[in-house]
Amino acid sequence: MISRRTFFKLLAGSAVGLLSLAGYAGGVEPLLRLNTTHYTLTPRAWRRGQKLRIVALADFHACEPWMPASRIAEICDYANTLGGDIILLLGDYMSGMKVVTGTVPPKDWAASLSRLKAPLGVHAVCGNHDWWQDAEAQLQRLPETVAHRALRDVGIEVYSNRAARIGPEDAPFWIAGLEDQWAYLTGRHRMTGLDNLPQTMAQITDDAPVILLAHEPDIFPSVPDRVALTLSGHTHGGQVNLFGWTPVVPSRYGSRYVYGLKEEGGRHLVVSGGLGCSIAPIRFGSPPEIVVIDLA
């Protein structure tokens, strides 16, 4: 039988361990770590020999003290050193966390994002928290949010069910960006999306390859073979990843698209682990990351 003294030693040790884990999950991983994750892909729908380096950033969730404008600026300065031909932003610039000491006004986080530079520009979609944190857009069912306007005001291209042909004439491609799939809150745990994939794809007028930006990865089963690569964020890699077990994933597919490179039927999806936190300022086993993708 375990002695009382041994029991309390074990209890104390467990308490110290739990406090250490909590300190890491709340103070080290979300604030002090930043991974750069590289993928090299040759999608079936991408032209052979057509090289493109993508730098993708997702889910900043700007707020004090976890993701202030100064930290966003530092992340952007680092992203500029990664040699991207194009920089893609995958939504959720606004924070939905309650455990904060202050908000970051859209003009301030947008000013930090304006530091991003790439030869083929910076292109963005918005995410569910950009919609949910805009009370006026929710109440009046507006077609865009303050986040859309803040991005445009600093010269960042924002896509809302829109496609644009970019790149040199000898190697063009399309950026297609969906509006958010969870935009309007319509009841407890019920959302209505503003995404329109058929309308977006209908704007593509030639056979140049297509890169699709969609904040939530749930659209992927509906993405046509015509799309070379789909890029998403939203899930934060589960935000808490316990040796492969992700207990909370905001997706109707559970952990199917929680993180990383997915290939289905020759189609490719990359889901970024994102940079900030949602709901609670905790990350464990899912550090903040910038994604670099080389297409060739």
Side-chain angles (χ1 to χ4, degrees):
M1 179 181 291
I2 188 171
S3 70
R4 185 178 178 185
R5 183 175 182 180
T6 302
F7 171 77
F8 280 114
K9 278 186 176 181
L10 290 172
L11 185 63
S14 297
V16 170
L18 287 173
L19 287 173
S20 297
L21 285 175
Y24 174 82
V28 176
E29 189 160 303
L31 291 174
L32 301 180
R33 291 190 62 186
L34 178 61
N35 287 358
T36 305
T37 304
H38 291 259
Y39 301 96
T40 300
L41 306 177
T42 307
R44 185 171 58 193
W46 190 257
R47 287 177 177 163
R48 290 190 178 277
Q50 182 173 343
K51 295 183 179 181
L52 182 74
R53 170 165 283 195
I54 299 167
V55 174
L57 303 96
D59 302 289
F60 280 96
H61 292 284
C63 65
E64 299 280 356
W66 314 107
M67 187 63 75
S70 59
R71 186 175 180 218
I72 295 173
E74 290 172 359
I75 291 170
C76 291
D77 288 344
Y78 171 65
N80 286 337
T81 71
L82 297 174
D85 298 305
I86 190 169
I87 294 178
L88 303 177
L89 303 177
L90 304 176
D92 271 6
Y93 316 98
M94 305 284 280
S95 173
M97 285 200 299
K98 303 298 183 184
V99 186
V100 298
T101 60
T103 60
V104 178
K107 65 179 181 61
D108 291 346
W109 56 251
S112 295
L113 292 177
S114 72
R115 302 163 77 102
L116 292 167
K117 306 295 179 187
L120 297 177
V122 182
H123 307 258
V125 291
C126 286
N128 58 301
H129 281 284
D130 303 316
W131 283 95
W132 294 358
Q133 306 313 312
D134 189 330
E136 184 179 9
Q138 289 292 315
L139 182 64
Q140 299 187 32
R141 293 298 191 253
L142 299 179
E144 67 175 21
T145 71
V146 64
H148 291 77
R149 296 190 292 274
L151 290 164
R152 281 202 306 268
D153 286 347
V154 296
I156 294 175
E157 289 282 342
V158 189
Y159 292 71
S160 180
N161 298 324
R162 180 170 72 89
R165 188 177 187 268
I166 62 175
E169 281 302 313
D170 61 342
F173 60 95
W174 291 83
I175 292 293
L178 289 186
E179 194 46 81
D180 192 68
Q181 299 159 61
W182 292 15
Y184 293 145
L185 293 166
T186 55
R188 185 173 177 81
H189 306 304
R190 292 170 57 195
M191 290 80 70
T192 299
L194 291 177
D195 57 300
N196 191 325
L197 182 59
Q199 174 184 306
T200 305
M201 294 300 297
Q203 298 169 46
I204 296 167
T205 57
D206 60 23
D207 63 353
V210 181
I211 297 169
L212 177 68
L213 312 184
H215 177 67
E216 294 90 359
D218 286 13
I219 195 69
F220 187 57
S222 301
V223 173
D225 293 346
R226 174 76 177 80
V227 174
L229 175 65
T230 301
L231 293 174
S232 296
H234 181 65
T235 60
H236 301 195
Q239 199 161 299
V240 173
N241 186 329
L242 302 171
F243 310 105
W245 178 53
T246 48
V248 180
V249 181
S251 168
R252 69 177 181 268
Y253 293 103
S255 297
R256 179 174 169 182
Y257 303 126
V258 66
Y259 175 73
L261 174 63
K262 308 294 178 181
E263 184 177 354
E264 294 181 2
R267 299 172 303 117
H268 290 78
L269 165 71
V270 172
V271 183
S272 169
L275 292 156
C277 298
S278 179
I279 309 302
I282 294 171
R283 276 183 177 262
F284 186 83
S286 181
E289 74 170 7
I290 296 175
V291 172
V292 178
I293 303 168
D294 286 306
L295 297 178

